[in-house]
Amino acid sequence: MGLLNRRRATAPAPATDSASAPATARLTGVWTIDPAHSSIAFVARHAMITKVRGTFADFDGRLYLDGQHPGRSTADVTLQAASLHTRQERRDQHLRSADFFHAEAHPELSFRSTLVQQLSADTYRLTGDLSIKGVTRPVALDLTHTGTATDPFGNERAGFEGSATVDRTDWGLTWNRVLETGGVLVGEKVKLEFDVSAIRAA
């Protein structure tokens, strides 16, 4: 949904009557994620020393944004597990196998929001249920609204970027190998990164 504003409010709460609400009121409405101009990616440690980056090529999502009362906003995103790519086909096939995502039996990953909290004029904390491989657990991610624009085709767009770090074993993605030098082949902590362009639908 990138640079993130990592400022932490002591006790963030839904900004139902935030002083910044008038500036974001224009966002109110239904938006659809444009996959051609968006990215949903993941980053994990390999052999404890480097990072492997991957993306999902096939996904869709729908947002309802309430600029006056951000706490009423919702997000719904679905990703196709078989569409993941890390630029190495043998590794991609392994990630799609039962050792990891088991894409044949669990073709979709999904995120459904349960709470939206406004942290500042353009940053939000989005909490929701992430479902992977038949397991659903809550996650929270921080988002920055990067702006709005009208493209050359007359589409009104809104941009968001953000990230969250999760433990893959919480969703049953437990495959690993112990290294002779100590540690494991695949890191358990995975960073999820979002860079989203959404088009106003209504």
Side-chain angles (χ1 to χ4, degrees):
M1 315 185 166
L3 289 178
L4 289 178
N5 186 331
R6 288 295 185 182
R7 290 174 294 175
R8 302 283 184 173
T10 303
T16 55
D17 292 299
S18 168
S20 63
T24 59
R26 67 185 184 279
L27 291 175
T28 298
V30 177
W31 303 73
T32 57
I33 294 176
D34 176 12
H37 297 94
S38 303
S39 173
I40 298 180
F42 57 91
V43 184
R45 282 283 177 185
H46 177 262
M48 309 297 291
I49 58 172
T50 60
K51 294 178 181 178
V52 169
R53 299 178 181 273
T55 60
F56 290 90
D58 188 0
F59 58 88
D60 60 79
R62 185 177 178 87
L63 314 174
Y64 170 70
L65 305 180
D66 189 325
Q68 290 281 7
H69 306 283
R72 299 175 185 173
S73 301
T74 60
D76 189 332
V77 181
T78 301
L79 305 87
Q80 301 302 315
S83 74
L84 68 84
H85 292 278
T86 65
R87 299 185 302 173
Q88 211 284 333
E89 184 59 28
R90 183 176 178 181
R91 179 170 58 217
D92 293 348
Q93 291 296 337
H94 190 199
L95 288 172
R96 295 169 188 149
S97 75
D99 282 344
F100 287 95
F101 289 102
H102 203 177
E104 184 175 356
H106 303 281
E108 294 184 343
L109 296 75
S110 66
F111 175 83
R112 308 284 184 269
S113 68
T114 56
L115 176 66
V116 177
Q117 298 166 291
Q118 187 168 11
L119 306 184
S120 71
D122 60 358
T123 60
Y124 303 83
R125 181 159 299 143
L126 183 62
T127 302
D129 293 328
L130 178 62
S131 298
I132 303 174
K133 205 175 179 179
V135 177
T136 300
R137 290 187 177 275
V139 298
L141 54 108
D142 287 350
L143 297 176
T144 297
H145 172 224
T146 56
T148 57
T150 300
D151 67 23
F153 305 100
N155 298 308
E156 185 178 359
R157 294 178 176 270
F160 298 89
E161 61 184 16
S163 68
T165 299
V166 300
D167 186 330
R168 64 185 176 89
T169 64
D170 288 342
W171 285 267
L173 307 178
T174 58
W175 185 92
N176 227 325
R177 288 288 183 270
V178 177
L179 303 174
E180 292 183 4
T181 53
V184 292
L185 183 63
V186 183
E188 293 181 351
K189 298 295 184 181
V190 178
K191 185 178 183 182
L192 308 177
E193 297 179 337
F194 309 86
D195 194 349
V196 169
S197 177
I199 298 175
R200 182 185 290 277

